[in-house]
Each structure stands twice: as structure tokens, then as C-alpha cells.
């Protein structure tokens, strides 16, 4: 889980923070296993929203295959790392 920096309130884990923001849930509700079907707020529509936000934030593009195949925060983190996205590590 991620923590906020005490003085700024900023999230120290951008990936989990972005996902939480899109889903409209506290970051503390999410784990590396969270994904569509594993978290009630993460619907198929929200999954697409998560992907779009991650593409914009990290400056990457996902293929349809990647979007369908990476359905947890851990999987998305690995995919972002493979694409060289800085700031995706926990």
C-alpha cells in the first residue's frame, strides 16, 4: 500500500493513486491484486478509464491485447515498467 507524504499529502505511489482517483475510492482500499472483478468499483468501463489515464500520465500507449491481458495493479505496474515508464514502481 502507498502512503501520503505527511507535509504535502501527495501520494507516494503514482500508479495506485491514479487508479484510486479514477475509481473514486481511497488508495488504501487497493492492493496489487485489485483489478476488474476483484474490486467492486473496477468495472469494465472503469478499466478503460484507468488505461487512458495511465497512458496520458506515463506517456505510453497500450495495445488492445495489453489492455485486456493486464487486469490488476501488479500487472499494470509490470507493463509500465516494461515500457520504461518512470514512477510506476511502488
Amino acid at each position: 500500500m502507498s502512503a501520503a507524504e505527511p507535509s504535502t499529502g501527495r501520494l507516494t505511489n503514482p500508479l495506485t493513486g491514479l487508479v484510486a482517483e479514477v475509481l473514486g475510492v481511497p488508495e488504501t482500499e487497493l492492493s496489487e491484486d485489485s483489478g476488474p472483478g476483484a474490486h467492486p468499483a473496477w468495472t469494465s468501463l472503469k478499466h478503460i478509464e484507468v488505461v487512458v489515464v495511465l497512458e496520458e500520465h506515463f506517456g505510453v500507449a497500450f495495445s488492445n491485447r495489453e489492455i485486456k491481458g493486464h487486469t490488476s495493479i501488479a500487472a499494470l505496474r509490470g507493463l509500465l515498467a516494461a515500457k520504461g515508464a518512470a514512477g510506476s514502481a511502488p
Side-chain angles (χ1 to χ4, degrees):
M1 306 275 160
S2 300
E5 294 175 7
S7 60
T8 65
R10 290 183 349 164
L11 299 171
T12 57
N13 184 330
L15 174 58
T16 307
L18 288 168
V19 172
E21 186 176 319
V22 170
L23 300 181
V25 301
E27 189 175 351
T28 55
E29 277 190 23
L30 301 175
S31 71
E32 290 295 295
D33 295 328
S34 295
H39 190 282
W42 201 326
T43 63
S44 57
L45 178 58
K46 287 293 183 183
H47 185 63
I48 298 302
E49 289 180 43
V50 164
V51 167
V52 169
V53 167
L54 295 181
E55 286 179 327
E56 290 173 356
H57 182 84
F58 290 105
V60 298
F62 299 122
S63 69
N64 287 337
R65 185 178 186 185
E66 290 170 331
I67 292 167
K68 292 177 185 177
H70 292 78
T71 57
S72 71
I73 289 177
L76 290 169
R77 188 178 311 287
L79 180 59
L80 286 166
K83 290 182 175 283
S88 60

